[in-house]
Amino acid sequence: MPELPEVETIKLGLQKKIVGLTIKKIEVLSPKSFNGDVREVEGKKVLDVWRRGKVLGIDLSSVTLLFHLKMTGQLIYIPNDIRLTANDKRFIGGHPTPDMVGKMPNSHTRVIFEFSDGSYLYFNDQRRFGWIMVREKGEAERVKFLQKLGPEPLQKGFSWQILKLNLSKHPKTPIKVVLMDQSVVAGLGNIYASEACFDAKIDPRIKVKDLTDNQFQSLHRGVIKSLRYGIKYGGSTKTHFVDADGHKGYFLDYAYCYGRDKHPCKVCKTEIKKITLGGRGTYFCPRCQS
DNA sequence: TGCCCCCTGCAG
DNA sequence: CTGCAGGGGGCA
């Protein structure tokens, strides 16, 4: 899924588009994707759009909608004046399949929100891992998933000491695996955990207990830097991610290791290696990160 | 802490 | 055909 920068990108887009609109109707095409009662949501006005870790929240009067996009989720807003054509390349990584041409929803659309001004928000999710949850306002932050989340890495209080403290709960686990633990720090996934290790010049296989304070500090900088770059370039589109306008993100063009196995390191020309850590593909430069 | 699983589709 | 994919819950 979308990791923190991708969810942040969607959030920034939706804030501009849907705050103030009223949800007129919700169509649930895939019941598994929608946890709640649509009648609690229909007729409510959008007050705010926010993000916590990889979760997106939409506050309405009296209820909150929570979204987790997991691996293939998309939230695409279509204004009421848009008419799609066969040449429109805004969907699915720029390669519209026949069933998407000229229309939304497409075959991966799971939930459709219709606003009272005639515009739509489409929740698409090929693999159906993602979810939408309806919660009473105030009850939303007590959802188990949100309660377990660690600190927000882009907020002021996130220090290298806190990062070290949280990472150190898993002394014998490879650092890159622990960075992806949402209770340690919220929002890092496979791409940005790899990039943070590269930026810090740390081998992703190193166990947390073997890191020095200097390395924790580098890692802290690397985490923040890679996430900020991710946001700056509109997120990472490997296959599915698009922003609220349906546009791809370009961070992967600037990535140092993720997805670059067999290519030369942008710093030292050494071949980037791909290994498996914690069951996930992991990329690193054997020379820079040693 | 490490697997298997949820589900769908694509590349090799 | 097998393996793999921005995630993460549940189980030993």
Short mmCIF file of all heavy atoms in Angstrom, two decimals, chain B:
data_model
loop_
_atom_site.label_atom_id
_atom_site.label_comp_id
_atom_site.label_asym_id
_atom_site.label_seq_id
_atom_site.Cartn_x
_atom_site.Cartn_y
_atom_site.Cartn_z
P DT B 1 11.17 -10.06 18.09
OP1 DT B 1 12.29 -9.25 18.63
OP2 DT B 1 10.11 -9.38 17.40
"O5'" DT B 1 11.82 -11.12 17.13
"C5'" DT B 1 12.26 -12.32 17.75
"C4'" DT B 1 11.86 -13.46 16.85
"O4'" DT B 1 10.55 -13.97 17.20
"C3'" DT B 1 11.76 -13.08 15.37
"O3'" DT B 1 12.31 -14.15 14.63
"C2'" DT B 1 10.26 -12.94 15.13
"C1'" DT B 1 9.74 -14.03 16.03
N1 DT B 1 8.33 -13.88 16.48
C2 DT B 1 7.53 -15.00 16.51
O2 DT B 1 7.93 -16.09 16.17
N3 DT B 1 6.24 -14.78 16.94
C4 DT B 1 5.70 -13.58 17.35
O4 DT B 1 4.54 -13.51 17.71
C5 DT B 1 6.59 -12.44 17.30
C7 DT B 1 6.11 -11.10 17.73
C6 DT B 1 7.84 -12.64 16.89
P DG B 2 12.58 -13.99 13.05
OP1 DG B 2 14.01 -14.31 12.87
OP2 DG B 2 12.04 -12.70 12.60
"O5'" DG B 2 11.73 -15.15 12.38
"C5'" DG B 2 11.65 -16.42 13.01
"C4'" DG B 2 10.58 -17.24 12.33
"O4'" DG B 2 9.27 -16.94 12.86
"C3'" DG B 2 10.47 -16.98 10.83
"O3'" DG B 2 10.15 -18.23 10.26
"C2'" DG B 2 9.31 -15.98 10.71
"C1'" DG B 2 8.41 -16.50 11.82
N9 DG B 2 7.51 -15.51 12.41
C8 DG B 2 7.75 -14.17 12.62
N7 DG B 2 6.74 -13.57 13.20
C5 DG B 2 5.79 -14.56 13.38
C6 DG B 2 4.49 -14.51 13.95
O6 DG B 2 3.91 -13.55 14.43
N1 DG B 2 3.85 -15.75 13.91
C2 DG B 2 4.40 -16.90 13.41
N2 DG B 2 3.65 -17.99 13.46
N3 DG B 2 5.62 -16.95 12.87
C4 DG B 2 6.25 -15.76 12.89
P DC B 3 10.28 -18.56 8.80
OP1 DC B 3 10.63 -19.98 8.71
OP2 DC B 3 11.11 -17.52 8.19
"O5'" DC B 3 8.79 -18.35 8.27
"C5'" DC B 3 8.25 -19.42 7.57
"C4'" DC B 3 6.89 -19.83 8.13
"O4'" DC B 3 6.44 -18.94 9.15
"C3'" DC B 3 5.85 -19.80 7.02
"O3'" DC B 3 5.29 -21.08 6.93
"C2'" DC B 3 4.87 -18.73 7.42
"C1'" DC B 3 5.10 -18.56 8.91
N1 DC B 3 4.94 -17.13 9.30
C2 DC B 3 3.75 -16.74 9.91
O2 DC B 3 2.88 -17.60 10.11
N3 DC B 3 3.59 -15.44 10.27
C4 DC B 3 4.55 -14.55 10.04
N4 DC B 3 4.34 -13.30 10.41
C5 DC B 3 5.76 -14.93 9.40
C6 DC B 3 5.93 -16.22 9.05
P DC B 4 4.76 -21.53 5.50
OP1 DC B 4 4.96 -22.98 5.41
OP2 DC B 4 5.33 -20.61 4.49
"O5'" DC B 4 3.21 -21.22 5.64
"C5'" DC B 4 2.51 -21.59 6.84
"C4'" DC B 4 1.16 -20.93 6.81
"O4'" DC B 4 1.26 -19.61 7.39
"C3'" DC B 4 0.62 -20.75 5.38
"O3'" DC B 4 -0.71 -21.23 5.34
"C2'" DC B 4 0.71 -19.25 5.15
"C1'" DC B 4 0.57 -18.70 6.56
N1 DC B 4 1.19 -17.36 6.75
C2 DC B 4 0.48 -16.39 7.45
O2 DC B 4 -0.64 -16.65 7.90
N3 DC B 4 1.04 -15.16 7.62
C4 DC B 4 2.26 -14.92 7.12
N4 DC B 4 2.78 -13.71 7.32
C5 DC B 4 2.99 -15.90 6.41
C6 DC B 4 2.43 -17.10 6.24
P DC B 5 -1.52 -21.16 3.96
OP1 DC B 5 -2.36 -22.37 3.93
OP2 DC B 5 -0.61 -20.85 2.83
"O5'" DC B 5 -2.44 -19.90 4.19
"C5'" DC B 5 -3.27 -19.82 5.36
"C4'" DC B 5 -3.94 -18.47 5.36
"O4'" DC B 5 -2.97 -17.47 5.73
"C3'" DC B 5 -4.44 -18.08 3.97
"O3'" DC B 5 -5.86 -18.08 3.94
"C2'" DC B 5 -3.90 -16.70 3.72
"C1'" DC B 5 -3.23 -16.29 5.01
N1 DC B 5 -1.95 -15.59 4.78
C2 DC B 5 -1.79 -14.29 5.22
O2 DC B 5 -2.72 -13.75 5.82
N3 DC B 5 -0.62 -13.65 4.98
C4 DC B 5 0.37 -14.28 4.33
N4 DC B 5 1.49 -13.62 4.11
C5 DC B 5 0.23 -15.62 3.87
C6 DC B 5 -0.94 -16.24 4.11
P DC B 6 -6.59 -18.01 2.53
OP1 DC B 6 -7.79 -18.86 2.56
OP2 DC B 6 -5.56 -18.17 1.50
"O5'" DC B 6 -7.07 -16.49 2.50
"C5'" DC B 6 -7.80 -15.95 3.60
"C4'" DC B 6 -7.84 -14.44 3.44
"O4'" DC B 6 -6.55 -13.90 3.78
"C3'" DC B 6 -8.08 -14.02 2.00
"O3'" DC B 6 -9.48 -13.76 1.82
"C2'" DC B 6 -7.29 -12.73 1.85
"C1'" DC B 6 -6.35 -12.72 3.04
N1 DC B 6 -4.91 -12.71 2.67
C2 DC B 6 -4.13 -11.62 3.08
O2 DC B 6 -4.67 -10.73 3.73
N3 DC B 6 -2.82 -11.60 2.75
C4 DC B 6 -2.28 -12.60 2.04
N4 DC B 6 -0.99 -12.53 1.75
C5 DC B 6 -3.07 -13.71 1.63
C6 DC B 6 -4.37 -13.72 1.95
P DC B 7 -10.21 -14.38 0.52
OP1 DC B 7 -11.64 -14.02 0.64
OP2 DC B 7 -9.81 -15.78 0.32
"O5'" DC B 7 -9.55 -13.53 -0.65
"C5'" DC B 7 -9.87 -12.15 -0.78
"C4'" DC B 7 -9.05 -11.58 -1.91
"O4'" DC B 7 -7.66 -11.66 -1.59
"C3'" DC B 7 -9.21 -12.33 -3.22
"O3'" DC B 7 -10.05 -11.56 -4.05
"C2'" DC B 7 -7.80 -12.42 -3.80
"C1'" DC B 7 -6.95 -11.66 -2.81
N1 DC B 7 -5.63 -12.26 -2.54
C2 DC B 7 -4.49 -11.54 -2.90
O2 DC B 7 -4.62 -10.44 -3.44
N3 DC B 7 -3.27 -12.09 -2.63
C4 DC B 7 -3.18 -13.29 -2.05
N4 DC B 7 -1.97 -13.76 -1.81
C5 DC B 7 -4.34 -14.02 -1.68
C6 DC B 7 -5.53 -13.48 -1.94
P DT B 8 -10.53 -12.12 -5.47
OP1 DT B 8 -11.85 -11.52 -5.75
OP2 DT B 8 -10.31 -13.58 -5.52
"O5'" DT B 8 -9.45 -11.47 -6.45
"C5'" DT B 8 -9.24 -10.08 -6.47
"C4'" DT B 8 -8.04 -9.80 -7.34
"O4'" DT B 8 -6.83 -10.22 -6.68
"C3'" DT B 8 -8.05 -10.52 -8.68
"O3'" DT B 8 -8.15 -9.52 -9.67
"C2'" DT B 8 -6.74 -11.29 -8.73
"C1'" DT B 8 -5.90 -10.62 -7.65
N1 DT B 8 -4.90 -11.49 -6.98
C2 DT B 8 -3.62 -11.00 -6.81
O2 DT B 8 -3.28 -9.91 -7.20
N3 DT B 8 -2.77 -11.85 -6.17
C4 DT B 8 -3.05 -13.11 -5.68
O4 DT B 8 -2.20 -13.78 -5.12
C5 DT B 8 -4.41 -13.56 -5.89
C7 DT B 8 -4.82 -14.90 -5.40
C6 DT B 8 -5.26 -12.74 -6.52
P DG B 9 -8.14 -9.86 -11.22
OP1 DG B 9 -8.90 -8.78 -11.87
OP2 DG B 9 -8.50 -11.27 -11.43
"O5'" DG B 9 -6.60 -9.65 -11.59
"C5'" DG B 9 -6.02 -8.42 -11.27
"C4'" DG B 9 -4.56 -8.45 -11.63
"O4'" DG B 9 -3.84 -9.31 -10.72
"C3'" DG B 9 -4.27 -8.98 -13.03
"O3'" DG B 9 -3.26 -8.16 -13.56
"C2'" DG B 9 -3.74 -10.38 -12.76
"C1'" DG B 9 -2.99 -10.14 -11.48
N9 DG B 9 -2.69 -11.33 -10.68
C8 DG B 9 -3.48 -12.41 -10.45
N7 DG B 9 -2.92 -13.31 -9.66
C5 DG B 9 -1.69 -12.77 -9.36
C6 DG B 9 -0.65 -13.26 -8.56
O6 DG B 9 -0.60 -14.33 -7.94
N1 DG B 9 0.44 -12.40 -8.52
C2 DG B 9 0.50 -11.20 -9.18
N2 DG B 9 1.62 -10.49 -9.04
N3 DG B 9 -0.47 -10.71 -9.93
C4 DG B 9 -1.53 -11.54 -9.98
P DC B 10 -3.07 -8.03 -15.14
OP1 DC B 10 -3.82 -6.84 -15.56
OP2 DC B 10 -3.31 -9.34 -15.80
"O5'" DC B 10 -1.52 -7.72 -15.20
"C5'" DC B 10 -0.89 -7.14 -14.05
"C4'" DC B 10 0.55 -7.62 -13.99
"O4'" DC B 10 0.64 -8.78 -13.14
"C3'" DC B 10 1.13 -8.03 -15.35
"O3'" DC B 10 2.38 -7.42 -15.49
"C2'" DC B 10 1.19 -9.54 -15.27
"C1'" DC B 10 1.39 -9.78 -13.78
N1 DC B 10 0.89 -11.08 -13.29
C2 DC B 10 1.68 -11.82 -12.41
O2 DC B 10 2.78 -11.36 -12.07
N3 DC B 10 1.22 -13.02 -11.96
C4 DC B 10 0.04 -13.47 -12.35
N4 DC B 10 -0.37 -14.65 -11.88
C5 DC B 10 -0.78 -12.73 -13.25
C6 DC B 10 -0.33 -11.55 -13.69
P DA B 11 3.16 -7.54 -16.86
OP1 DA B 11 3.37 -6.13 -17.26
OP2 DA B 11 2.53 -8.50 -17.80
"O5'" DA B 11 4.56 -8.15 -16.39
"C5'" DA B 11 5.16 -7.69 -15.19
"C4'" DA B 11 6.31 -8.61 -14.82
"O4'" DA B 11 5.78 -9.85 -14.30
"C3'" DA B 11 7.20 -9.00 -16.01
"O3'" DA B 11 8.53 -9.11 -15.53
"C2'" DA B 11 6.63 -10.34 -16.44
"C1'" DA B 11 6.20 -10.95 -15.10
N9 DA B 11 5.07 -11.87 -15.17
C8 DA B 11 3.90 -11.72 -15.86
N7 DA B 11 3.05 -12.71 -15.69
C5 DA B 11 3.71 -13.56 -14.82
C6 DA B 11 3.34 -14.79 -14.24
N6 DA B 11 2.18 -15.39 -14.46
N1 DA B 11 4.23 -15.38 -13.42
C2 DA B 11 5.41 -14.78 -13.19
N3 DA B 11 5.86 -13.62 -13.67
C4 DA B 11 4.95 -13.06 -14.49
P DG B 12 9.72 -9.41 -16.55
OP1 DG B 12 10.83 -8.52 -16.16
OP2 DG B 12 9.17 -9.37 -17.92
"O5'" DG B 12 10.13 -10.90 -16.20
"C5'" DG B 12 10.42 -11.27 -14.86
"C4'" DG B 12 10.64 -12.78 -14.81
"O4'" DG B 12 9.36 -13.45 -14.87
"C3'" DG B 12 11.47 -13.32 -15.97
"O3'" DG B 12 12.42 -14.25 -15.48
"C2'" DG B 12 10.45 -14.02 -16.87
"C1'" DG B 12 9.40 -14.45 -15.87
N9 DG B 12 8.04 -14.58 -16.42
C8 DG B 12 7.39 -13.74 -17.28
N7 DG B 12 6.19 -14.12 -17.59
C5 DG B 12 6.03 -15.30 -16.87
C6 DG B 12 4.92 -16.18 -16.81
O6 DG B 12 3.83 -16.09 -17.38
N1 DG B 12 5.19 -17.27 -15.97
C2 DG B 12 6.36 -17.47 -15.30
N2 DG B 12 6.42 -18.57 -14.55
N3 DG B 12 7.40 -16.66 -15.35
C4 DG B 12 7.16 -15.60 -16.16
#
